[in-house]
Amino acid sequence: MGIYGGPFVGSSSIAELVKRAQKGSEEAISDLISLFQFDLYRFCVYLTKTPHEAEDLTQDVFLKVLKNIKKVKKPEMFKSWLFQSAKNLFLDRLKATQVRQKVSREKVEQAMGITEASNPERVLELQKTLEKLAPEDRLLILLVDQQGYSYGEVADLFGLSESAVTSRIYRVRQHIRNDFEKKERN
């Protein structure tokens, strides 16, 4: 049994569904939606931080992906393409509205391992530092440090090499450390 309650669906079965969907099979499209809707919705919640926005984003991603399904050149990579589309659509929305996402205090504390006993001023400084990061950098840090994604999974989502993700995570963490050290000296 797979995690969705039905038989396990491997990448070859997914590829077959995608190929059938590309030929117009409504059943295959329905199966793809059923197969990925929970994981995609959960990912969208991580991105948007609200269930309502996540529902909207999930629906928009499926509409966009299904409209462009004939463009999928590697059907076995459908899941990566789906999640890449979600990330891109989310970032496009951020850029269009120029709204910087607020990171809740709890998520900041979890992402950086700060305990309740930590200095509240330090927590606020960390939150301010994270809010100043570029949306993609903040997303990288949250996916790896708070959500537990591997560098390889993040690389697939962002369309980067694993070494590029490692370098960006390192640079973002260095930036955060340097910002803290500067503030502690002052």
Side-chain angles (χ1 to χ4, degrees):
M1 289 293 260
I3 60 172
Y4 301 99
F8 177 75
V9 178
S11 61
S12 63
S13 297
I14 293 169
E16 289 303 315
L17 283 174
V18 171
K19 288 174 187 173
R20 288 182 27 228
Q22 288 174 323
K23 293 176 182 173
S25 168
E26 289 187 22
E27 181 183 357
I29 290 170
S30 178
D31 289 347
L32 285 171
I33 291 171
S34 295
L35 186 63
F36 291 109
Q37 70 184 359
F38 176 74
D39 285 344
L40 182 63
Y41 171 74
R42 192 172 65 171
F43 179 67
C44 290
V45 169
Y46 294 149
L47 295 175
T48 64
K49 308 294 180 246
T50 68
H52 179 71
E53 286 181 49
E55 288 174 13
D56 289 346
L57 182 59
T58 301
Q59 183 176 11
D60 290 347
V61 169
F62 274 123
L63 289 172
K64 181 180 178 185
V65 164
L66 295 174
K67 179 181 173 189
N68 295 304
I69 198 155
K70 290 184 180 182
K71 295 179 184 178
V72 176
K73 291 182 177 35
K74 295 182 179 180
E76 65 279 2
M77 299 297 293
F78 178 78
K79 183 175 182 179
S80 292
W81 185 66
L82 178 69
F83 281 71
Q84 178 75 27
S85 296
K87 185 222 27 146
N88 289 342
L89 190 56
F90 170 73
L91 291 174
D92 288 347
R93 286 180 176 187
L94 274 183
K95 290 172 189 170
T97 59
Q98 296 185 356
V99 173
R100 299 203 55 111
Q101 192 175 23
K102 295 277 184 187
V103 180
S104 71
R105 179 176 174 197
E106 296 80 24
K107 290 192 179 175
V108 171
E109 291 172 353
Q110 287 175 353
M112 300 308 287
I114 296 175
T115 65
E116 289 180 25
S118 296
N119 182 342
E121 290 175 13
R122 189 171 170 97
V123 173
L124 290 174
E125 289 302 322
L126 176 60
Q127 186 172 8
K128 288 178 188 175
T129 299
L130 287 173
E131 288 174 357
K132 289 183 211 172
L133 294 174
E136 276 198 18
D137 290 341
R138 185 171 53 248
L139 183 57
L140 280 170
I141 286 291
L142 290 175
L143 287 174
V144 170
D145 290 343
Q146 200 262 330
Q147 301 301 329
Y149 279 71
S150 71
Y151 287 9
E153 291 169 322
V154 173
D156 286 344
L157 290 173
F158 280 74
L160 301 170
S161 68
E162 195 168 331
S163 61
V165 170
T166 302
S167 296
R168 282 183 69 177
I169 294 284
Y170 175 80
R171 282 195 303 270
V172 171
R173 288 178 179 156
Q174 273 306 115
H175 172 77
I176 292 169
R177 275 197 266 312
N178 292 341
D179 196 55
F180 265 88
E181 288 172 4
K182 209 182 289 181
K183 288 176 182 169
E184 285 180 4
R185 280 183 252 141
N186 294 333

